[in-house]
């Protein structure tokens, strides 16, 4: 997986200099996947023997662990300090690979190896600090909400929906961001495999209003 990631990350690092590109990648359908991919590679390479990983014929595969770590690190720092930084930081905080300790270790590794300038290290450390605060806030909010009614939960992720939509082919209500991510790779309803497009999604404003009212009521309880 790391071999395949190297060229993709190099391209991402280059494109992350363009604010238009950054904005395009932090939309709900993409930002969680982006944060998860970058975080998983970062944690893998900053773990035990990560940057010392050896393969046969590294030049043939253009695989250089230290360069890959540097590129991931700098790309994440750029995304976290752009105009759309809040969405990216939220996605990192929600990512299964994120822990403050793992990201601090990555920063320590990059600093020890002298891979990047101090300004990039500072930007990444700010990302870690903000993500940690956001993760703690999200956990506190989740604890305050308690058990949500089943109708408020996304059927795939089992999380409270932000923007519920109806899939007309299976009559299933699902969170918009979840189904948009699915449709990037598979133009079918995940519940019955019938053809499905973004245009077919039906917003559920009444349900959304009930969810928002429930959130407010539980948060203030």
């Amino acid at each position: 997986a790391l071999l395949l990631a190297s060229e993709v990350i190099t391209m991402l690092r280059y494109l992350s200099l363009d604010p238009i590109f950054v904005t395009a990648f932090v939309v709900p359908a993409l930002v969680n996947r982006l944060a998860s991919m970058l975080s998983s590679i970062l944690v893998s390479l900053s773990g035990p023997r990560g940057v010392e990983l050896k393969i046969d014929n590294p030049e043939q595969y253009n695989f250089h662990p230290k360069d890959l770590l540097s590129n991931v690190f700098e790309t994440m720092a750029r995304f976290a300090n752009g105009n759309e930084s809040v969405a990216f930081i939220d996605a990192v905080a929600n990512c299964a690979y994120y822990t403050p300790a793992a990201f601090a270790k990555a920063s320590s590794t990059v600093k020890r190896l002298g891979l990047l300038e101090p300004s990039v290290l500072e930007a990444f450390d700010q990302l870690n600090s903000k993500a940690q605060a956001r993760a703690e806030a999200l956990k506190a909010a989740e604890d305050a909400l308690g058990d949500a009614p089943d109708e408020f939960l996304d059927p795939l992720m089992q999380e409270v929906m932000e923007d519920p939509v109806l899939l007309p082919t299976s009559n299933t209500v699902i969170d918009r961001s979840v189904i948009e991510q699915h449709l990037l790779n598979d133009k079918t309803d995940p519940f019955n495999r019938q053809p499905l497009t973004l245009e077919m999604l039906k917003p559920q404003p009444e349900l959304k209003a009930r969810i928002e009212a429930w959130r407010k009521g539980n948060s203030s309880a």
Side-chain angles (χ1 to χ4, degrees):
L2 291 177
L3 289 174
L4 294 175
S6 184
E7 291 187 7
V8 174
I9 298 303
T10 300
M11 180 184 66
L12 278 175
R13 176 179 173 274
Y14 172 74
L15 292 174
S16 64
L17 290 167
D18 185 346
I20 295 177
F21 171 84
V22 171
T23 299
F25 262 74
V26 295
V27 296
L30 294 175
V31 68
N32 291 327
R33 183 178 297 185
L34 174 67
S36 181
M37 177 190 69
L38 293 173
S39 297
S40 67
I41 297 171
L42 182 81
V43 172
S44 295
L45 289 174
S46 58
R49 299 183 61 81
V51 293
E52 305 301 327
L53 185 63
K54 305 292 185 182
I55 65 169
D56 293 332
N57 303 317
E59 296 296 336
Q60 176 182 346
Y61 295 102
N62 193 29
F63 180 64
H64 306 282
K66 291 180 183 179
D67 291 343
L68 180 55
L69 174 60
S70 174
N71 287 339
V72 171
F73 194 95
E74 187 166 14
T75 299
M76 296 189 76
R78 288 175 180 171
F79 270 94
N81 288 277
N83 293 332
E84 306 294 336
S85 61
V86 173
F88 182 74
I89 291 170
D90 276 2
V92 170
N94 271 308
C95 172
Y97 298 98
Y98 174 73
T99 66
F103 273 49
K105 185 174 183 179
S107 182
S108 177
T109 300
V110 170
K111 182 177 182 180
R112 174 173 56 83
L113 296 173
L115 299 179
L116 292 166
E117 296 295 324
S119 60
V120 180
L121 286 163
E122 181 180 356
F124 184 88
D125 289 342
Q126 289 179 3
L127 159 63
N128 191 19
S129 178
K130 292 176 182 178
Q132 180 177 4
R134 186 58 179 150
E136 292 171 352
L138 290 170
K139 179 63 167 59
E142 181 181 332
D143 291 343
L145 288 176
D147 293 330
D150 288 345
E151 67 170 330
F152 293 173
L153 299 177
D154 178 271
L156 294 179
M157 304 302 294
Q158 288 299 299
E159 297 177 350
V160 178
M161 293 182 285
E162 298 284 345
D163 186 7
V165 293
L166 178 70
L167 311 184
T169 49
S170 63
N171 203 37
T172 302
V173 175
I174 189 171
D175 197 49
R176 181 182 293 277
S177 64
V178 174
I179 191 60
E180 285 183 348
Q181 285 192 45
H182 169 79
L183 291 175
L184 288 173
N185 299 316
D186 188 344
K187 303 297 184 183
T188 65
D189 186 321
F191 298 96
N192 62 9
R193 313 308 300 171
Q194 294 298 309
L196 182 69
T197 64
L198 286 174
E199 293 73 23
M200 296 169 66
L201 304 181
K202 296 184 178 181
Q204 301 295 292
E206 293 183 2
L207 176 58
K208 183 177 181 179
R210 293 204 307 274
I211 292 174
E212 291 174 350
W214 175 81
R215 282 183 183 276
K216 291 179 182 178
N218 281 270
S219 296
S220 60

